[in-house]
Amino acid sequence: RPGMNNKLQGSVIKRVKNMVGYPGDTVEWIKDNNIEFVLEGMEHYSLGTVRTRDEYLKFAGIDVDYENNSFISSHISWCDNGELE
């Protein structure tokens, strides 16, 4: 059916955005918009426990842009050039 993948894709994107901490995609926002199903199984599928979200963002060179509900990434030479550190 036309549009079916778009609805599923939008739900998956909301789940991932919540998982990585996009400022506008909070649990409260998801519940207020009646799409709680995107939170199913989050206790099994997450970023892990090796480092906190903030530690990961610092490691990855990513800043949170709260005004635009987005992330800003800096250039990471080893990633940009496909090289090991």
Side-chain angles (χ1 to χ4, degrees):
R1 294 186 323 218
M4 183 175 171
N5 287 339
N6 291 338
K7 186 175 181 181
L8 177 60
Q9 181 181 11
S11 298
V12 170
I13 289 170
K14 287 295 179 196
R15 178 184 179 92
V16 172
K17 282 183 164 184
N18 172 266
M19 188 183 305
V20 298
Y22 267 68
D25 295 289
T26 62
V27 170
E28 294 79 20
W29 185 91
I30 289 171
K31 288 180 178 180
D32 288 347
N33 286 276
N34 297 317
I35 55 171
E36 294 97 338
F37 65 91
V38 303
L39 301 173
E40 291 290 325
M42 290 292 267
E43 67 276 9
H44 303 291
Y45 307 102
S46 69
L47 296 178
T49 59
V50 173
R51 60 179 61 92
T52 67
R53 175 186 161 270
D54 289 337
E55 289 171 335
Y56 172 75
L57 293 176
K58 183 178 179 182
F59 163 78
I62 299 171
D63 294 315
V64 179
D65 180 355
Y66 291 97
E67 186 175 320
N68 295 304
N69 188 32
S70 63
F71 288 136
I72 302 167
S73 63
S74 58
H75 290 284
I76 304 169
S77 61
W78 61 265
C79 183
D80 292 344
N81 300 322
E83 303 168 344
L84 295 176
E85 285 188 277

